Every structure is written in C-alpha cells, then in structure tokens.
Amino acid sequence: MRKCCQTVVGLLCVSLLFWSLSSVQGEPEKSASTAGVKKSASLPPEIKQALSEFNSLIGGWRGVGMIKRNSRKGAWSEKAEWVWKFDPKQSGIAYEVEDGKFLKSALLSYDPEQKTYQLATILPDGTKRDYTGALQKDTLVLESQPDAEGAVYRISIRKLNEKRTLVLFEQRNQGQSFYYRLAEVGYTRAGTRLAASGSGGPECIVTGGAGTIAVSHKGKTYYVCCSGCKQAFEDDPETFIAEAKQKAEERRKQSQSR
C-alpha cells in the first residue's frame, strides 16, 4: 500500500512539474503574439491631405439659421463644433450640432479611390442620410442619393474667411432639374484661434492645422487643434512626432531646391 501511494504521489508531482513548465514556456509566445496589436490612429497621407482642406473649420461655431435670407421669420440659433476623429472604423472630421433644425451630427471623410468626399449625417429626428461630393473652389458641394420619393438633397459648405462659414441646405424633387433653398446657416467662430494654418503660428502636430491646445511628450511641448487630435497624439505620440519631422525635412528640401 505504501509503495502504491508513493507511486501515485510521484506521478502527481511529475504532472504538476510538466504543467508548470508548459505554462512558463507558453507565456512568452502569448506576449509576442499580442505585442504591437495597437495600431496608430494616423490616417493615410492622401486622406489626411484631402481632409486638411477643412482644418479652418476645426473648433466651435455660433450659428444663425434662416429659411429665407435676411428674414428673421422662422430663424433659429444653434451651436456647432468640428473635431478630428481618429478611429479604425470611422475616421474623419466630426460635425456636431446643438439645437440644429437640419442636422444633428455628421462625419466628413474622403474616399481616395473615388476621389470624393463623403458626409454621413444624422438628422434631428434620428434619420440617417449620406452625401457624396467634391470641393469646388472654396465650397464643398455634396449630394444625397434619391430618397423613397425621388427627392435629392444637397449641402454646400462655404468658407468665407477664418471667422465666417456658410452651410446651405437645398432640395430637388423628382422630375425637377433645379434645387430650391431649404435654409442657410451662417456661422461665426466662437472664441479665438491662436493662428491660422500656414501663418507661422503653432501648427497641429497631427493634422497641420492651427495649433490651439498644448500637449507634451518627454518634456517637450507640441500643439494640436482639437480634442480629437489631442486624444490621437496621446495614444501614439511617437508616430505623429516622426511624421512631423518627416514633413519638416520635406519642406526644408523643397525650400533649398527653389
């Protein structure tokens, strides 16, 4: 009996030892497989360049909407904010509206294959509507697909200057060849900007827009343009610092070649 018990105990010890060794050997493999899973929030250069055309929109705005231009009848006030959004599934520039009559929110993105801008919107009643379009001089013109009744909607976003932007809403019914005005929102920038992009002031290290928010990494100060860029930088500062250095080097070479 004693010999039998010793045999059983011995087998148990060997099994426990084998299990322990297997666990220890398997741990590095698990760590190696999970290393580097986190992906940078940085956008492909072509997409970032296309969306950077709208860096001047980043920030908060106060808007006055009018059904008929220069008429207070049916007019309303709203607030809006444009913020860069970095997400593996949905990246672009988010457009959030408070007290809006025609929009609740939207996401502006760019399709590099089709060379078109996309605007995915949510209306005040929760309905979703997608637009596609292009930049025409200083105005981004986007059209929807026909709805169930054949109506097509158009949004035109026009930058007047650093402090003024107009957003025009239009509709074209089935069988019509022209658009008629639904409303227009005139936006005035809320607050001030440190600098306009390219003016010599601080630049956003993530998008190249006007730097308005200070961030730091390893004791050095950088600037970003919005909360979305701040989050992206804090998630992966090394990538954006490297991209900024590369961009600065390209600028230096271009200036020397002139």
Side-chain angles (χ1 to χ4, degrees):
M1 176 66 71
R2 181 181 298 175
K3 186 175 181 180
C4 181
C5 290
Q6 289 176 344
T7 302
V8 172
V9 171
L11 289 173
L12 287 173
C13 290
V14 171
S15 298
L16 288 171
L17 179 62
F18 179 78
W19 178 83
S20 299
L21 289 173
S22 299
S23 299
V24 172
Q25 291 175 352
E27 189 65 29
E29 183 177 353
K30 181 180 179 181
S31 299
S33 64
T34 56
V37 169
K38 182 180 177 181
K39 295 183 179 180
S40 170
S42 181
L43 293 172
E46 187 176 358
I47 295 178
K48 182 185 287 188
Q49 179 62 37
L51 292 176
S52 292
E53 294 286 342
F54 306 98
N55 272 332
S56 61
L57 294 177
I58 301 301
W61 299 82
R62 298 187 303 269
V64 175
M66 293 184 178
I67 303 298
K68 185 177 180 181
R69 186 170 294 173
N70 298 324
S71 173
R72 299 296 300 179
K73 185 177 180 180
W76 73 94
S77 297
E78 65 180 53
K79 295 180 181 179
E81 185 176 16
W82 293 80
V83 180
W84 278 89
K85 180 179 180 180
F86 297 90
D87 186 283
K89 295 181 180 179
Q90 280 189 320
S91 292
I93 301 179
Y95 175 23
E96 300 290 338
V97 183
E98 181 182 337
D99 298 325
K101 294 292 182 68
F102 284 83
L103 275 184
K104 180 179 180 181
S105 65
L107 181 70
L108 178 64
S109 58
Y110 183 74
D111 185 340
E113 294 184 1
Q114 299 296 324
K115 306 293 183 184
T116 57
Y117 290 94
Q118 317 288 331
L119 188 70
T121 71
I122 298 179
L123 308 185
D125 64 359
T127 303
K128 295 182 179 180
R129 183 180 294 153
D130 295 335
Y131 295 79
T132 303
L135 186 61
Q136 302 177 13
K137 293 185 178 180
D138 59 351
T139 304
L140 177 62
V141 181
L142 305 126
E143 293 183 346
S144 72
Q145 291 295 316
D147 63 12
E149 297 178 353
V152 177
Y153 297 87
R154 183 166 70 182
I155 295 179
S156 300
I157 303 172
R158 182 186 177 193
K159 172 191 167 184
L160 299 179
N161 51 51
E162 287 293 323
K163 296 183 179 181
R164 290 279 295 161
T165 297
L166 293 177
V167 178
L168 176 64
F169 298 90
E170 298 173 293
Q171 179 178 336
R172 187 187 74 213
N173 292 326
Q174 186 176 24
Q176 293 181 330
S177 59
F178 60 90
Y179 283 88
Y180 65 89
R181 172 195 174 104
L182 295 174
E184 184 177 64
V185 181
Y187 286 110
T188 301
R189 183 173 296 283
T192 58
R193 294 165 65 90
L194 291 182
S197 177
S199 67
E203 280 193 7
C204 174
I205 193 169
V206 177
T207 64
T212 59
I213 303 171
V215 292
S216 62
H217 180 65
K218 293 183 178 179
K220 188 172 181 179
T221 299
Y222 304 91
Y223 289 89
V224 293
C225 62
C226 64
S227 58
C229 289
K230 182 176 184 292
Q231 184 63 56
F233 177 81
E234 290 175 346
D235 287 345
D236 190 7
E238 297 295 343
T239 293
F240 293 111
I241 291 172
E243 288 181 354
K245 288 181 178 179
Q246 182 180 357
K247 185 184 295 184
E249 179 63 20
E250 291 174 354
R251 288 177 180 173
R252 186 186 66 81
K253 290 181 179 179
Q254 289 177 357
S255 63
Q256 289 180 345
S257 62
R258 292 174 183 173

